[in-house]
């Protein structure tokens, strides 16, 4: 089953037992980045000097990607500063919802709703079909732990995870010092066209800046 990069990131973040997303705030940014990268790989958008440009509005054949392409096209045409960071900030929550809906529609996860303490609505997304995630983790293991040559999409996925410092999502049982150097080498390798590399670099910078800002705000709040 072909799934998008964003859906792969979402699968890695969902706890198989609880159905809850780990590192949800950061994951939202790289899910949105994964959709942007997928559209860049499909030659529907490009990043030029950190600005998002739509170059082709024709269907990709994937409902999730087509929906985000339409949203990007509408936004980029009216935004004063159509930067990668501005788009990720705007779209992260919608990207998560759209990606979870896609996983449910494919029968990979199921949605469960209940109320915590009888009051607060809680949504869980336990895994219904573990085949996709198992094959994904095997593919990542071959590239990172066994030094296999990555294909274009796997290299892009590793680049996003490395840029967001989410090594533990893909390799929860491995020490960072074992996986980080290989992930860095894949992320920095010349495996794609410059336009695609620009998309990943801009996404990484946006995530790091947002994370730094959130950490600074938390530290300021603690002091006050």
């Amino acid at each position: 089953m072909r799934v998008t990069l964003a859906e792969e990131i979402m699968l890695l973040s969902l706890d198989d037992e609880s159905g809850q997303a780990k590192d949800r705030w950061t994951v939202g940014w790289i899910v949105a980045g994964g959709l942007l990268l997928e559209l860049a790989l499909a030659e529907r958008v490009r990043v030029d000097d950190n600005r998002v440009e739509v170059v082709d509005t024709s269907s990709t054949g994937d409902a999730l990607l087509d929906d985000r392409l339409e949203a990007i096209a509408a936004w980029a045409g009216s935004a004063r500063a159509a930067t990668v960071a501005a788009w990720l900030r705007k779209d992260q929550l919608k990207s998560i919802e759209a990606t979870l809906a896609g996983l449910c529609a494919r029968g990979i996860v199921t949605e469960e709703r209940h109320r915590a303490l009888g009051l607060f609505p809680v949504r869980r997304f336990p895994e219904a079909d573990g085949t996709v995630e198992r094959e994904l983790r095997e593919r990542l293991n071959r590239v990172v732990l066994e030094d296999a040559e990555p294909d274009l999409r796997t290299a892009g996925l590793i680049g996003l995870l490395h840029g967001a410092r989410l090594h533990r999502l893909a390799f929860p049982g491995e020490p960072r010092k074992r996986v980080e150097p290989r992930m860095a080498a894949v992320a920095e390798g010349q495996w794609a066209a410059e336009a695609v590399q620009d998309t990943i670099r801009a996404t990484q910078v946006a995530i790091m800046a947002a994370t730094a800002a959130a950490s600074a705000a938390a530290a300021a709040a603690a002091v006050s």
Side-chain angles (χ1 to χ4, degrees):
M1 183 186 299
R2 174 67 179 265
V3 297
T4 65
L5 290 169
E7 288 168 322
E8 290 180 335
I9 293 165
M10 201 72 238
L11 273 179
L12 293 174
S13 78
L14 289 173
D15 185 274
D16 293 341
E17 295 182 4
S18 70
Q20 298 288 335
K22 295 170 281 189
D23 295 289
R24 187 181 177 95
W25 188 86
T26 306
V27 165
W29 283 78
I30 64 169
V31 164
L35 290 168
L36 190 63
L37 176 58
E38 194 92 60
L39 290 169
L41 289 169
E43 299 182 345
R44 297 305 193 275
V45 304
R46 70 182 174 204
V47 173
D48 184 16
D49 193 25
N50 202 34
R51 292 182 60 85
V52 181
E53 299 177 1
V54 176
V55 295
D56 183 354
T57 58
S58 64
S59 173
T60 64
D62 184 286
L64 173 59
L65 294 178
D66 288 348
D67 177 67
R68 302 330 295 150
L69 177 60
E70 182 179 349
I72 292 172
W75 169 79
S78 60
R80 290 194 302 173
T83 64
V84 171
W87 173 250
L88 299 185
R89 186 179 304 109
K90 173 183 173 59
D91 199 58
Q92 55 174 315
L93 295 179
K94 292 180 181 177
S95 288
I96 283 184
E97 290 301 317
T99 302
L100 286 170
L103 289 172
C104 288
R106 296 174 191 268
I108 299 172
V109 302
T110 58
E111 181 179 2
E112 297 179 356
R113 296 172 181 256
H114 68 278
R115 289 187 177 273
L117 304 177
L119 296 173
F120 307 105
V122 176
R123 299 163 67 204
R124 300 172 61 250
F125 295 88
E127 198 167 59
D129 178 0
T131 304
V132 175
E133 183 180 355
R134 184 165 56 252
E135 292 177 348
L136 166 61
R137 289 189 181 276
E138 288 173 355
R139 194 170 82 241
L140 290 170
N141 285 344
R142 285 195 298 271
V143 173
V144 174
L145 301 181
E146 301 171 17
D147 291 335
E149 192 70 20
D151 59 45
L152 194 61
R153 297 179 73 260
T154 304
L157 174 60
I158 290 171
L160 289 172
L161 291 168
H162 175 69
R165 313 290 291 173
L166 291 178
H167 308 82
R168 65 186 175 278
L169 288 186
F171 304 98
E174 299 291 340
R176 179 186 288 267
K177 64 182 180 181
R178 183 182 180 195
V179 299
E180 187 172 24
R182 173 60 175 163
M183 292 180 75
V186 172
E188 295 162 7
Q190 298 301 310
W191 47 268
E194 187 64 24
V196 174
Q197 294 277 28
D198 285 347
T199 304
I200 287 207
R201 283 193 290 267
T203 300
Q204 291 172 336
V205 169
I207 291 170
M208 287 188 289
T211 302
S215 298
V223 171
S224 61

